Amino acid sequence: MSARAVSEATFQAEVLDSEKPVLVDFWAEWCGPCRMVSPILDQIAAENADKLDIVKVNVDENPQLAAQFQITSIPALKVFKAGEVAKTIIGAKPKAALEADLAAFL
């Protein structure tokens, strides 16, 4: 299972109303580090599907979400729990470092 795309239209239902923690990857097509971290997030999503949902928000296609969550650099990863931002991770990292950052949710 890989990270699925969400938009301004589906963000409330898919992220804020989710019973599980949700990691949101704010990214863009032109962003090299975003493309590097994407397969790592897909692996983490597949290995932890029962504990954590992982979704992607394209900041170029969803500028209001990017503004709402003050995304100033990408990739920006935000973990939402009970509709609130519980953790923010900025920049691409190797899988082990991401798993360490996400340990509380995995």
Side-chain angles (χ1 to χ4, degrees):
M1 170 168 166
S2 63
R4 66 187 181 281
V6 297
S7 66
E8 289 164 1
T10 60
F11 194 84
Q12 180 75 38
E14 298 255 2
V15 177
L16 301 179
D17 296 340
S18 176
E19 305 220 343
K20 278 195 276 189
V22 181
L23 183 148
V24 180
D25 174 20
F26 290 91
W27 73 288
E29 198 70 47
W30 48 264
C31 166
C34 298
R35 290 196 305 270
M36 285 171 34
V37 82
S38 186
I40 297 168
L41 293 176
D42 288 344
Q43 286 178 354
I44 293 172
E47 293 165 9
N48 299 282
D50 55 331
K51 296 178 228 127
L52 180 72
D53 283 339
I54 299 182
V55 300
K56 302 169 86 56
V57 171
N58 184 317
V59 296
D60 291 336
E61 295 171 3
N62 301 281
Q64 287 180 314
L65 282 176
Q68 180 180 349
F69 294 105
Q70 300 166 341
I71 304 304
T72 55
S73 62
I74 53 174
L77 311 174
K78 290 191 179 276
V79 179
F80 289 80
K81 192 170 183 180
E84 300 288 324
V85 176
K87 177 119 183 153
T88 299
I89 304 164
I90 303 294
K93 295 184 177 186
K95 185 178 180 200
L98 279 174
E99 287 177 328
D101 284 343
L102 298 169
F105 307 101
L106 300 179

